[in-house]
Amino acid sequence: MMDPTLHIDLAQPVTLGQQTYAALDLREPTAGELMKFEQTLTKDGAVAGLILLIALIAGIPRPAVEKISVTDYRQAEAYLAGFIVPPRAVGGPLLPN
């Protein structure tokens, strides 16, 4: 069973305008969030889809998520993969290329 939430302290806080973000708090996506992720995935690719999903779940603007380190992004990606990859596909790549 997946952990219900994941807290990620960002390796480097990111600033967008006057707001600084030092952490991401993630949880299981809703069906609507998953739908938006899949729409963006189809249109703009896997990274854009996951950036949108992280932004929706963490409640921070997409441009702020675009500034997080790849290490932090990969940690969020690994957590969210448990919710978006069908069970039969586990072990393969997160998303098709």
Side-chain angles (χ1 to χ4, degrees):
M1 182 169 172
M2 295 287 305
D3 288 333
T5 61
L6 176 67
H7 177 85
I8 300 171
D9 288 317
L10 298 179
Q12 293 292 322
V14 297
T15 300
L16 186 65
Q18 299 294 321
Q19 182 70 43
T20 298
Y21 302 93
L24 299 174
D25 288 306
L26 303 177
R27 54 160 172 76
E28 180 176 356
T30 66
E33 290 164 340
L34 190 58
M35 180 182 68
K36 290 174 185 174
F37 158 76
E38 289 181 348
Q39 290 169 343
T40 302
L41 170 71
T42 301
K43 182 180 173 204
D44 299 323
V47 174
L50 280 165
I51 286 172
L52 174 66
L53 188 60
I54 293 165
L56 291 170
I57 292 171
I60 67 173
R62 186 187 318 191
V65 177
E66 291 173 355
K67 296 172 102 178
I68 68 173
S69 72
V70 171
T71 301
D72 294 330
Y73 169 85
R74 293 287 184 216
Q75 191 176 355
E77 175 187 49
Y79 172 74
L80 293 172
F83 298 110
I84 59 178
V85 176
R88 67 183 179 283
V90 172
L94 172 61
L95 302 168
N97 292 327

